[in-house]
Tab-separated table of all heavy atoms in Angstrom:
chain	number	residue	atom	x	y	z
A	880	MET	N	-7.918	-8.284	-5.327
A	880	MET	CA	-9.270	-8.659	-5.679
A	880	MET	C	-9.286	-9.019	-7.165
A	880	MET	O	-8.861	-8.219	-7.989
A	880	MET	CB	-10.217	-7.493	-5.392
A	880	MET	CG	-11.597	-7.697	-5.932
A	880	MET	SD	-12.758	-6.309	-5.708
A	880	MET	CE	-12.499	-5.784	-4.066
A	881	PRO	N	-9.794	-10.181	-7.508
A	881	PRO	CA	-9.880	-10.566	-8.920
A	881	PRO	C	-10.783	-9.615	-9.690
A	881	PRO	O	-11.780	-9.110	-9.164
A	881	PRO	CB	-10.482	-11.971	-8.878
A	881	PRO	CG	-10.241	-12.462	-7.490
A	881	PRO	CD	-10.204	-11.248	-6.621
A	882	VAL	N	-10.450	-9.357	-10.936
A	882	VAL	CA	-11.185	-8.407	-11.763
A	882	VAL	C	-12.650	-8.793	-11.890
A	882	VAL	O	-13.531	-7.939	-11.909
A	882	VAL	CB	-10.535	-8.284	-13.165
A	882	VAL	CG1	-11.364	-7.416	-14.074
A	882	VAL	CG2	-9.129	-7.725	-13.030
A	883	GLU	N	-12.969	-10.077	-11.938
A	883	GLU	CA	-14.365	-10.485	-12.108
A	883	GLU	C	-15.244	-10.122	-10.910
A	883	GLU	O	-16.460	-10.175	-10.989
A	883	GLU	CB	-14.488	-11.978	-12.431
A	883	GLU	CG	-13.870	-12.906	-11.413
A	883	GLU	CD	-12.398	-13.204	-11.680
A	883	GLU	OE1	-11.809	-12.662	-12.625
A	883	GLU	OE2	-11.827	-13.985	-10.909
A	884	GLN	N	-14.642	-9.717	-9.790
A	884	GLN	CA	-15.427	-9.296	-8.627
A	884	GLN	C	-15.718	-7.796	-8.617
A	884	GLN	O	-16.517	-7.329	-7.819
A	884	GLN	CB	-14.698	-9.670	-7.334
A	884	GLN	CG	-14.640	-11.153	-7.078
A	884	GLN	CD	-13.903	-11.466	-5.783
A	884	GLN	OE1	-13.236	-10.617	-5.197
A	884	GLN	NE2	-14.016	-12.704	-5.338
A	885	VAL	N	-15.097	-7.049	-9.501
A	885	VAL	CA	-15.294	-5.604	-9.552
A	885	VAL	C	-16.575	-5.306	-10.316
A	885	VAL	O	-16.792	-5.823	-11.401
A	885	VAL	CB	-14.091	-4.910	-10.234
A	885	VAL	CG1	-14.357	-3.416	-10.369
A	885	VAL	CG2	-12.819	-5.177	-9.451
A	886	VAL	N	-17.434	-4.499	-9.729
A	886	VAL	CA	-18.697	-4.131	-10.352
A	886	VAL	C	-18.667	-2.633	-10.628
A	886	VAL	O	-18.274	-1.847	-9.772
A	886	VAL	CB	-19.889	-4.472	-9.432
A	886	VAL	CG1	-21.192	-4.001	-10.054
A	886	VAL	CG2	-19.923	-5.965	-9.143
A	887	SER	N	-19.082	-2.268	-11.809
A	887	SER	CA	-19.138	-0.860	-12.190
A	887	SER	C	-20.555	-0.532	-12.629
A	887	SER	O	-21.177	-1.306	-13.350
A	887	SER	CB	-18.151	-0.583	-13.325
A	887	SER	OG	-18.293	0.747	-13.772
A	888	ALA	N	-21.078	0.599	-12.185
A	888	ALA	CA	-22.415	1.030	-12.580
A	888	ALA	C	-22.352	2.514	-12.915
A	888	ALA	O	-21.922	3.324	-12.105
A	888	ALA	CB	-23.409	0.780	-11.458
A	889	ALA	N	-22.774	2.853	-14.127
A	889	ALA	CA	-22.803	4.254	-14.540
A	889	ALA	C	-24.016	4.941	-13.907
A	889	ALA	O	-25.078	4.337	-13.765
A	889	ALA	CB	-22.881	4.336	-16.057
A	890	HIS	N	-23.841	6.179	-13.485
A	890	HIS	CA	-24.957	6.948	-12.967
A	890	HIS	C	-24.706	8.426	-13.245
A	890	HIS	O	-23.572	8.888	-13.201
A	890	HIS	CB	-25.151	6.701	-11.465
A	890	HIS	CG	-24.000	7.174	-10.633
A	890	HIS	ND1	-22.840	6.457	-10.487
A	890	HIS	CD2	-23.824	8.293	-9.911
A	890	HIS	CE1	-22.005	7.123	-9.717
A	890	HIS	NE2	-22.578	8.240	-9.347
A	891	PRO	N	-25.770	9.149	-13.560
A	891	PRO	CA	-25.584	10.581	-13.845
A	891	PRO	C	-25.341	11.356	-12.555
A	891	PRO	O	-25.768	10.953	-11.479
A	891	PRO	CB	-26.916	10.982	-14.472
A	891	PRO	CG	-27.897	10.002	-13.940
A	891	PRO	CD	-27.137	8.719	-13.731
A	892	MET	N	-24.632	12.449	-12.699
A	892	MET	CA	-24.365	13.309	-11.555
A	892	MET	C	-24.567	14.754	-11.997
A	892	MET	O	-24.164	15.128	-13.095
A	892	MET	CB	-22.940	13.114	-11.051
A	892	MET	CG	-22.578	14.008	-9.893
A	892	MET	SD	-20.864	13.838	-9.398
A	892	MET	CE	-20.997	12.435	-8.332
A	893	VAL	N	-25.171	15.529	-11.143
A	893	VAL	CA	-25.366	16.950	-11.417
A	893	VAL	C	-24.568	17.727	-10.381
A	893	VAL	O	-24.705	17.497	-9.182
A	893	VAL	CB	-26.858	17.333	-11.323
A	893	VAL	CG1	-27.024	18.833	-11.505
A	893	VAL	CG2	-27.669	16.576	-12.355
A	894	ARG	N	-23.721	18.609	-10.859
A	894	ARG	CA	-22.933	19.446	-9.948
A	894	ARG	C	-23.623	20.794	-9.818
A	894	ARG	O	-23.962	21.429	-10.815
A	894	ARG	CB	-21.524	19.640	-10.496
A	894	ARG	CG	-20.707	20.572	-9.638
A	894	ARG	CD	-19.361	20.818	-10.231
A	894	ARG	NE	-18.727	21.939	-9.565
A	894	ARG	CZ	-17.432	22.097	-9.468
A	894	ARG	NH1	-16.620	21.219	-10.011
A	894	ARG	NH2	-16.923	23.137	-8.868
A	895	LEU	N	-23.822	21.219	-8.593
A	895	LEU	CA	-24.414	22.520	-8.335
A	895	LEU	C	-23.333	23.444	-7.785
A	895	LEU	O	-22.638	23.098	-6.842
A	895	LEU	CB	-25.540	22.413	-7.302
A	895	LEU	CG	-26.719	21.532	-7.662
A	895	LEU	CD1	-27.687	21.453	-6.483
A	895	LEU	CD2	-27.415	22.042	-8.900
A	896	ASP	N	-23.195	24.587	-8.382
A	896	ASP	CA	-22.300	25.623	-7.864
A	896	ASP	C	-23.184	26.713	-7.284
A	896	ASP	O	-23.912	27.383	-8.018
A	896	ASP	CB	-21.407	26.193	-8.974
A	896	ASP	CG	-20.326	25.217	-9.395
A	896	ASP	OD1	-19.791	24.529	-8.520
A	896	ASP	OD2	-20.027	25.142	-10.601
A	897	ILE	N	-23.139	26.879	-5.981
A	897	ILE	CA	-23.987	27.849	-5.298
A	897	ILE	C	-23.092	28.903	-4.664
A	897	ILE	O	-22.319	28.596	-3.753
A	897	ILE	CB	-24.845	27.158	-4.219
A	897	ILE	CG1	-25.697	26.062	-4.874
A	897	ILE	CG2	-25.700	28.174	-3.477
A	897	ILE	CD1	-26.398	25.162	-3.894
A	898	PRO	N	-23.164	30.132	-5.168
A	898	PRO	CA	-22.303	31.179	-4.605
A	898	PRO	C	-22.705	31.483	-3.158
A	898	PRO	O	-23.858	31.774	-2.871
A	898	PRO	CB	-22.536	32.382	-5.519
A	898	PRO	CG	-23.811	32.111	-6.239
A	898	PRO	CD	-24.008	30.627	-6.247
A	899	THR	N	-21.760	31.358	-2.247
A	899	THR	CA	-22.037	31.603	-0.831
A	899	THR	C	-21.508	32.951	-0.358
A	899	THR	O	-21.861	33.401	0.724
A	899	THR	CB	-21.396	30.508	0.041
A	899	THR	OG1	-19.985	30.555	-0.134
A	899	THR	CG2	-21.936	29.140	-0.321
A	900	GLY	N	-20.621	33.536	-1.156
A	900	GLY	CA	-20.054	34.812	-0.752
A	900	GLY	C	-19.004	34.680	0.343
A	900	GLY	O	-18.647	35.662	0.983
A	901	MET	N	-18.532	33.455	0.562
A	901	MET	CA	-17.509	33.257	1.588
A	901	MET	C	-16.490	32.235	1.099
A	901	MET	O	-16.807	31.412	0.240
A	901	MET	CB	-18.140	32.817	2.915
A	901	MET	CG	-18.954	31.563	2.833
A	901	MET	SD	-20.006	31.108	4.268
A	901	MET	CE	-19.427	31.965	5.634
A	902	PRO	N	-15.272	32.289	1.616
A	902	PRO	CA	-14.262	31.311	1.226
A	902	PRO	C	-14.711	29.893	1.597
A	902	PRO	O	-15.478	29.686	2.544
A	902	PRO	CB	-13.017	31.707	2.033
A	902	PRO	CG	-13.255	33.123	2.434
A	902	PRO	CD	-14.740	33.282	2.549
A	903	PHE	N	-14.216	28.907	0.857
A	903	PHE	CA	-14.615	27.519	1.046
A	903	PHE	C	-14.416	27.057	2.489
A	903	PHE	O	-15.315	26.467	3.102
A	903	PHE	CB	-13.843	26.612	0.090
A	903	PHE	CG	-14.210	25.157	0.219
A	903	PHE	CD1	-15.393	24.680	-0.320
A	903	PHE	CD2	-13.375	24.277	0.890
A	903	PHE	CE1	-15.749	23.344	-0.190
A	903	PHE	CE2	-13.719	22.940	1.013
A	903	PHE	CZ	-14.904	22.469	0.467
A	904	ASP	N	-13.233	27.313	3.065
A	904	ASP	CA	-12.950	26.862	4.428
A	904	ASP	C	-13.912	27.483	5.438
A	904	ASP	O	-14.345	26.824	6.390
A	904	ASP	CB	-11.504	27.162	4.819
A	904	ASP	CG	-10.507	26.286	4.070
A	904	ASP	OD1	-10.902	25.201	3.584
A	904	ASP	OD2	-9.328	26.685	3.964
A	905	ALA	N	-14.271	28.756	5.242
A	905	ALA	CA	-15.221	29.416	6.143
A	905	ALA	C	-16.608	28.797	5.988
A	905	ALA	O	-17.325	28.594	6.979
A	905	ALA	CB	-15.276	30.919	5.858
A	906	PHE	N	-16.992	28.471	4.753
A	906	PHE	CA	-18.288	27.828	4.525
A	906	PHE	C	-18.342	26.464	5.201
A	906	PHE	O	-19.309	26.129	5.876
A	906	PHE	CB	-18.569	27.674	3.032
A	906	PHE	CG	-19.808	26.873	2.761
A	906	PHE	CD1	-21.056	27.458	2.857
A	906	PHE	CD2	-19.722	25.528	2.440
A	906	PHE	CE1	-22.208	26.715	2.640
A	906	PHE	CE2	-20.856	24.773	2.220
A	906	PHE	CZ	-22.106	25.372	2.319
A	907	ILE	N	-17.291	25.667	5.033
A	907	ILE	CA	-17.253	24.330	5.648
A	907	ILE	C	-17.344	24.438	7.166
A	907	ILE	O	-18.077	23.689	7.813
A	907	ILE	CB	-15.980	23.568	5.219
A	907	ILE	CG1	-16.032	23.259	3.724
A	907	ILE	CG2	-15.802	22.294	6.030
A	907	ILE	CD1	-17.199	22.388	3.288
A	908	ALA	N	-16.627	25.374	7.751
A	908	ALA	CA	-16.670	25.557	9.211
A	908	ALA	C	-18.082	25.936	9.661
A	908	ALA	O	-18.593	25.394	10.653
A	908	ALA	CB	-15.663	26.612	9.645
A	909	ALA	N	-18.730	26.842	8.935
A	909	ALA	CA	-20.090	27.253	9.295
A	909	ALA	C	-21.072	26.099	9.119
A	909	ALA	O	-21.958	25.885	9.949
A	909	ALA	CB	-20.521	28.446	8.443
A	910	PHE	N	-20.917	25.326	8.043
A	910	PHE	CA	-21.798	24.188	7.804
A	910	PHE	C	-21.641	23.142	8.900
A	910	PHE	O	-22.626	22.625	9.435
A	910	PHE	CB	-21.518	23.556	6.446
A	910	PHE	CG	-22.356	22.329	6.181
A	910	PHE	CD1	-23.648	22.451	5.706
A	910	PHE	CD2	-21.856	21.061	6.429
A	910	PHE	CE1	-24.436	21.335	5.490
A	910	PHE	CE2	-22.624	19.934	6.212
A	910	PHE	CZ	-23.916	20.065	5.733
A	911	GLU	N	-20.409	22.830	9.253
A	911	GLU	CA	-20.167	21.814	10.272
A	911	GLU	C	-20.697	22.245	11.640
A	911	GLU	O	-21.116	21.406	12.437
A	911	GLU	CB	-18.688	21.462	10.335
A	911	GLU	CG	-18.255	20.652	9.126
A	911	GLU	CD	-16.780	20.334	9.110
A	911	GLU	OE1	-16.018	20.910	9.916
A	911	GLU	OE2	-16.377	19.507	8.271
A	912	GLN	N	-20.706	23.528	11.900
A	912	GLN	CA	-21.265	24.006	13.161
A	912	GLN	C	-22.792	23.927	13.133
A	912	GLN	O	-23.429	23.615	14.140
A	912	GLN	CB	-20.821	25.438	13.433
A	912	GLN	CG	-21.269	25.946	14.778
A	912	GLN	CD	-20.657	27.273	15.131
A	912	GLN	OE1	-19.858	27.829	14.381
A	912	GLN	NE2	-21.016	27.805	16.273
A	913	ALA	N	-23.392	24.179	11.978
A	913	ALA	CA	-24.854	24.177	11.861
A	913	ALA	C	-25.430	22.769	11.724
A	913	ALA	O	-26.555	22.519	12.148
A	913	ALA	CB	-25.275	25.021	10.649
A	914	ALA	N	-24.682	21.855	11.127
A	914	ALA	CA	-25.175	20.503	10.886
A	914	ALA	C	-24.582	19.560	11.925
A	914	ALA	O	-23.381	19.335	11.944
A	914	ALA	CB	-24.782	20.052	9.479
A	915	PRO	N	-25.414	19.002	12.792
A	915	PRO	CA	-24.879	18.109	13.821
A	915	PRO	C	-24.312	16.834	13.211
A	915	PRO	O	-24.709	16.421	12.126
A	915	PRO	CB	-26.102	17.796	14.688
A	915	PRO	CG	-27.265	18.023	13.796
A	915	PRO	CD	-26.857	19.108	12.840
A	916	VAL	N	-23.399	16.223	13.923
A	916	VAL	CA	-22.819	14.962	13.478
A	916	VAL	C	-23.856	13.862	13.636
A	916	VAL	O	-24.541	13.772	14.657
A	916	VAL	CB	-21.549	14.634	14.299
A	916	VAL	CG1	-21.010	13.266	13.942
A	916	VAL	CG2	-20.490	15.703	14.075
A	917	PHE	N	-24.005	13.052	12.608
A	917	PHE	CA	-24.969	11.954	12.626
A	917	PHE	C	-24.613	10.953	13.719
A	917	PHE	O	-23.458	10.548	13.849
A	917	PHE	CB	-24.975	11.261	11.262
A	917	PHE	CG	-25.913	10.095	11.185
A	917	PHE	CD1	-27.277	10.282	11.271
A	917	PHE	CD2	-25.425	8.808	11.046
A	917	PHE	CE1	-28.150	9.207	11.205
A	917	PHE	CE2	-26.289	7.729	10.971
A	917	PHE	CZ	-27.650	7.930	11.053
A	918	ASP	N	-25.596	10.559	14.503
A	918	ASP	CA	-25.397	9.600	15.589
A	918	ASP	C	-25.497	8.184	15.027
A	918	ASP	O	-26.527	7.526	15.119
A	918	ASP	CB	-26.430	9.826	16.690
A	918	ASP	CG	-26.274	8.864	17.859
A	918	ASP	OD1	-25.226	8.183	17.956
A	918	ASP	OD2	-27.205	8.799	18.677
A	919	GLU	N	-24.415	7.739	14.408
A	919	GLU	CA	-24.408	6.417	13.773
A	919	GLU	C	-24.657	5.310	14.793
A	919	GLU	O	-25.412	4.371	14.540
A	919	GLU	CB	-23.083	6.175	13.066
A	919	GLU	CG	-23.021	4.851	12.344
A	919	GLU	CD	-21.708	4.646	11.615
A	919	GLU	OE1	-20.904	5.590	11.509
A	919	GLU	OE2	-21.489	3.526	11.141
A	920	ALA	N	-24.059	5.411	15.971
A	920	ALA	CA	-24.242	4.382	16.998
A	920	ALA	C	-25.704	4.288	17.413
A	920	ALA	O	-26.244	3.188	17.579
A	920	ALA	CB	-23.352	4.674	18.202
A	921	GLY	N	-26.360	5.429	17.555
A	921	GLY	CA	-27.780	5.428	17.922
A	921	GLY	C	-28.646	4.794	16.846
A	921	GLY	O	-29.559	4.013	17.143
A	922	ALA	N	-28.361	5.108	15.586
A	922	ALA	CA	-29.119	4.516	14.483
A	922	ALA	C	-28.891	3.013	14.423
A	922	ALA	O	-29.825	2.238	14.178
A	922	ALA	CB	-28.739	5.173	13.164
A	923	LEU	N	-27.657	2.584	14.659
A	923	LEU	CA	-27.365	1.147	14.647
A	923	LEU	C	-28.073	0.430	15.791
A	923	LEU	O	-28.547	-0.696	15.628
A	923	LEU	CB	-25.862	0.904	14.708
A	923	LEU	CG	-25.103	1.220	13.424
A	923	LEU	CD1	-23.605	1.098	13.650
A	923	LEU	CD2	-25.552	0.324	12.292
A	924	ARG	N	-28.154	1.079	16.961
A	924	ARG	CA	-28.878	0.462	18.084
A	924	ARG	C	-30.330	0.210	17.699
A	924	ARG	O	-30.879	-0.855	17.967
A	924	ARG	CB	-28.807	1.349	19.326
A	924	ARG	CG	-27.559	1.165	20.151
A	924	ARG	CD	-27.679	1.841	21.520
A	924	ARG	NE	-27.946	3.270	21.441
A	924	ARG	CZ	-27.006	4.204	21.250
A	924	ARG	NH1	-25.739	3.848	21.101
A	924	ARG	NH2	-27.324	5.474	21.212
A	925	VAL	N	-30.962	1.197	17.080
A	925	VAL	CA	-32.355	1.019	16.655
A	925	VAL	C	-32.440	-0.073	15.590
A	925	VAL	O	-33.308	-0.934	15.637
A	925	VAL	CB	-32.948	2.343	16.113
A	925	VAL	CG1	-34.325	2.113	15.514
A	925	VAL	CG2	-33.017	3.379	17.216
A	926	GLY	N	-31.513	-0.049	14.646
A	926	GLY	CA	-31.528	-1.040	13.568
A	926	GLY	C	-31.305	-2.454	14.050
A	926	GLY	O	-31.869	-3.404	13.499
A	927	HIS	N	-30.499	-2.613	15.094
A	927	HIS	CA	-30.210	-3.952	15.615
A	927	HIS	C	-31.231	-4.405	16.660
A	927	HIS	O	-31.209	-5.557	17.074
A	927	HIS	CB	-28.805	-4.001	16.215
A	927	HIS	CG	-27.744	-3.920	15.178
A	927	HIS	ND1	-26.493	-3.408	15.452
A	927	HIS	CD2	-27.717	-4.256	13.865
A	927	HIS	CE1	-25.761	-3.447	14.348
A	927	HIS	NE2	-26.486	-3.947	13.382
A	928	SER	N	-32.099	-3.502	17.072
A	928	SER	CA	-33.127	-3.864	18.045
A	928	SER	C	-34.386	-4.274	17.282
A	928	SER	O	-34.376	-4.447	16.076
A	928	SER	CB	-33.433	-2.682	18.967
A	928	SER	OG	-34.135	-1.676	18.246
A	929	THR	N	-35.464	-4.386	17.999
A	929	THR	CA	-36.734	-4.741	17.343
A	929	THR	C	-37.468	-3.498	16.877
A	929	THR	O	-38.658	-3.556	16.583
A	929	THR	CB	-37.624	-5.542	18.313
A	929	THR	OG1	-37.838	-4.746	19.490
A	929	THR	CG2	-36.988	-6.858	18.682
A	930	GLY	N	-36.757	-2.377	16.808
A	930	GLY	CA	-37.375	-1.127	16.380
A	930	GLY	C	-37.861	-1.183	14.951
A	930	GLY	O	-37.351	-1.914	14.110
A	931	SER	N	-38.858	-0.386	14.680
A	931	SER	CA	-39.457	-0.324	13.338
A	931	SER	C	-38.739	0.740	12.498
A	931	SER	O	-37.879	1.477	12.987
A	931	SER	CB	-40.935	0.054	13.461
A	931	SER	OG	-41.056	1.388	13.961
A	932	TRP	N	-39.113	0.805	11.231
A	932	TRP	CA	-38.589	1.841	10.343
A	932	TRP	C	-38.931	3.218	10.915
A	932	TRP	O	-38.110	4.137	10.889
A	932	TRP	CB	-39.154	1.665	8.942
A	932	TRP	CG	-38.704	2.713	7.983
A	932	TRP	CD1	-39.465	3.667	7.403
A	932	TRP	CD2	-37.365	2.930	7.506
A	932	TRP	NE1	-38.692	4.472	6.597
A	932	TRP	CE2	-37.396	4.039	6.645
A	932	TRP	CE3	-36.153	2.302	7.737
A	932	TRP	CZ2	-36.265	4.523	6.002
A	932	TRP	CZ3	-35.026	2.792	7.090
A	932	TRP	CH2	-35.092	3.886	6.240
A	933	HIS	N	-40.118	3.368	11.466
A	933	HIS	CA	-40.533	4.636	12.073
A	933	HIS	C	-39.611	4.994	13.239
A	933	HIS	O	-39.243	6.157	13.421
A	933	HIS	CB	-41.979	4.550	12.551
A	933	HIS	CG	-42.470	5.826	13.149
A	933	HIS	ND1	-42.434	6.080	14.497
A	933	HIS	CD2	-42.964	6.949	12.572
A	933	HIS	CE1	-42.892	7.292	14.737
A	933	HIS	NE2	-43.229	7.838	13.592
A	934	ASP	N	-39.221	4.002	14.050
A	934	ASP	CA	-38.301	4.250	15.164
A	934	ASP	C	-36.953	4.758	14.657
A	934	ASP	O	-36.358	5.662	15.229
A	934	ASP	CB	-38.088	2.976	15.986
A	934	ASP	CG	-39.349	2.519	16.697
A	934	ASP	OD1	-40.221	3.369	16.982
A	934	ASP	OD2	-39.457	1.300	16.943
A	935	LEU	N	-36.477	4.157	13.564
A	935	LEU	CA	-35.209	4.588	12.979
A	935	LEU	C	-35.326	6.006	12.444
A	935	LEU	O	-34.454	6.845	12.667
A	935	LEU	CB	-34.766	3.627	11.878
A	935	LEU	CG	-33.438	3.955	11.217
A	935	LEU	CD1	-32.305	3.978	12.228
A	935	LEU	CD2	-33.134	2.963	10.110
A	936	GLN	N	-36.418	6.308	11.746
A	936	GLN	CA	-36.628	7.660	11.232
A	936	GLN	C	-36.673	8.672	12.373
A	936	GLN	O	-36.124	9.770	12.262
A	936	GLN	CB	-37.917	7.727	10.414
A	936	GLN	CG	-37.821	7.021	9.084
A	936	GLN	CD	-39.140	7.039	8.344
A	936	GLN	OE1	-40.168	6.673	8.901
A	936	GLN	NE2	-39.101	7.457	7.089
A	937	ALA	N	-37.314	8.317	13.472
A	937	ALA	CA	-37.411	9.223	14.619
A	937	ALA	C	-36.035	9.453	15.237
A	937	ALA	O	-35.702	10.583	15.623
A	937	ALA	CB	-38.374	8.652	15.656
A	938	ALA	N	-35.219	8.410	15.330
A	938	ALA	CA	-33.864	8.552	15.885
A	938	ALA	C	-33.018	9.463	15.008
A	938	ALA	O	-32.269	10.304	15.500
A	938	ALA	CB	-33.202	7.182	16.028
A	939	VAL	N	-33.133	9.309	13.700
A	939	VAL	CA	-32.384	10.164	12.773
A	939	VAL	C	-32.886	11.598	12.861
A	939	VAL	O	-32.102	12.536	12.936
A	939	VAL	CB	-32.474	9.619	11.329
A	939	VAL	CG1	-31.892	10.619	10.336
A	939	VAL	CG2	-31.761	8.283	11.222
A	940	ALA	N	-34.201	11.781	12.883
A	940	ALA	CA	-34.772	13.131	12.955
A	940	ALA	C	-34.334	13.845	14.227
A	940	ALA	O	-34.093	15.054	14.204
A	940	ALA	CB	-36.298	13.068	12.882
A	941	ALA	N	-34.213	13.120	15.326
A	941	ALA	CA	-33.775	13.728	16.578
A	941	ALA	C	-32.339	14.214	16.489
A	941	ALA	O	-31.941	15.161	17.174
A	941	ALA	CB	-33.918	12.722	17.720
A	942	THR	N	-31.537	13.582	15.641
A	942	THR	CA	-30.140	13.955	15.487
A	942	THR	C	-29.959	15.082	14.491
A	942	THR	O	-29.208	16.008	14.721
A	942	THR	CB	-29.307	12.750	15.015
A	942	THR	OG1	-29.409	11.726	15.992
A	942	THR	CG2	-27.858	13.104	14.821
A	943	VAL	N	-30.662	15.018	13.354
A	943	VAL	CA	-30.327	15.912	12.253
A	943	VAL	C	-31.020	17.256	12.294
A	943	VAL	O	-30.611	18.169	11.595
A	943	VAL	CB	-30.588	15.248	10.886
A	943	VAL	CG1	-29.761	13.994	10.747
A	943	VAL	CG2	-32.046	14.954	10.653
A	944	GLY	N	-32.049	17.419	13.071
A	944	GLY	CA	-32.674	18.735	13.192
A	944	GLY	C	-33.321	19.217	11.909
A	944	GLY	O	-34.396	18.778	11.553
A	945	ARG	N	-32.633	20.070	11.166
A	945	ARG	CA	-33.196	20.678	9.965
A	945	ARG	C	-33.009	19.820	8.716
A	945	ARG	O	-33.171	20.310	7.609
A	945	ARG	CB	-32.547	22.034	9.718
A	945	ARG	CG	-32.833	23.044	10.803
A	945	ARG	CD	-32.236	24.383	10.432
A	945	ARG	NE	-30.827	24.282	10.149
A	945	ARG	CZ	-29.857	24.772	10.893
A	945	ARG	NH1	-30.157	25.414	11.978
A	945	ARG	NH2	-28.607	24.643	10.547
A	946	GLY	N	-32.692	18.567	8.863
A	946	GLY	CA	-32.495	17.723	7.687
A	946	GLY	C	-31.076	17.741	7.170
A	946	GLY	O	-30.790	17.150	6.138
A	947	GLU	N	-30.200	18.426	7.882
A	947	GLU	CA	-28.796	18.454	7.496
A	947	GLU	C	-28.015	17.607	8.486
A	947	GLU	O	-28.349	17.561	9.671
A	947	GLU	CB	-28.257	19.886	7.523
A	947	GLU	CG	-28.997	20.811	6.590
A	947	GLU	CD	-28.661	22.275	6.864
A	947	GLU	OE1	-28.111	22.575	7.939
A	947	GLU	OE2	-28.967	23.089	6.005
A	948	VAL	N	-27.007	16.934	8.016
A	948	VAL	CA	-26.221	16.112	8.924
A	948	VAL	C	-24.773	16.104	8.472
A	948	VAL	O	-24.468	16.086	7.280
A	948	VAL	CB	-26.787	14.673	9.014
A	948	VAL	CG1	-26.714	13.953	7.695
A	948	VAL	CG2	-26.089	13.881	10.090
A	949	GLY	N	-23.862	16.172	9.420
A	949	GLY	CA	-22.438	16.075	9.131
A	949	GLY	C	-21.970	14.646	9.296
A	949	GLY	O	-22.637	13.826	9.922
A	950	ARG	N	-20.832	14.338	8.731
A	950	ARG	CA	-20.315	12.970	8.806
A	950	ARG	C	-19.364	12.763	9.976
A	950	ARG	O	-18.963	11.675	10.257
A	950	ARG	CB	-19.615	12.596	7.500
A	950	ARG	CG	-20.590	12.566	6.347
A	950	ARG	CD	-19.950	12.125	5.092
A	950	ARG	NE	-18.771	12.901	4.805
A	950	ARG	CZ	-17.845	12.559	3.952
A	950	ARG	NH1	-17.956	11.432	3.284
A	950	ARG	NH2	-16.799	13.307	3.722
A	951	GLY	N	-18.991	13.816	10.640
A	951	GLY	CA	-18.155	13.694	11.814
A	951	GLY	C	-16.725	13.393	11.578
A	951	GLY	O	-16.161	13.145	10.633
């Protein structure tokens, strides 16, 4: 890729360290069990159909439950 096609944008990032009282691998396993995998195919079906933004939000809400979602 030619250098003139590379785009860089600075953005601030805040790192949060939240003590969980459990080893990292155990936390990840518990999180992945609690957070369902995002239904990307379902969201794409809504996006490619004549569905509205509200339809897409409803499809996502049906998948993510408590607002948490895993990447699968």
Side-chain angles (χ1 to χ4, degrees):
M880 170 183 316
V882 174
E883 57 271 3
Q884 291 180 347
V885 176
V886 176
S887 175
H890 65 280
M892 178 184 276
V893 176
R894 176 184 167 153
L895 299 176
D896 287 322
I897 302 170
T899 62
M901 58 191 341
F903 180 76
D904 290 338
F906 173 80
I907 293 299
F910 177 83
E911 288 177 348
Q912 185 171 359
V916 175
F917 179 66
D918 180 13
E919 182 178 350
L923 287 173
R924 276 192 302 278
V925 173
H927 290 153
S928 71
T929 58
S931 66
W932 178 247
H933 181 265
D934 294 334
L935 181 59
Q936 288 177 309
V939 171
T942 300
V943 300
R945 296 184 305 249
E947 300 167 344
V948 63
R950 295 184 307 164

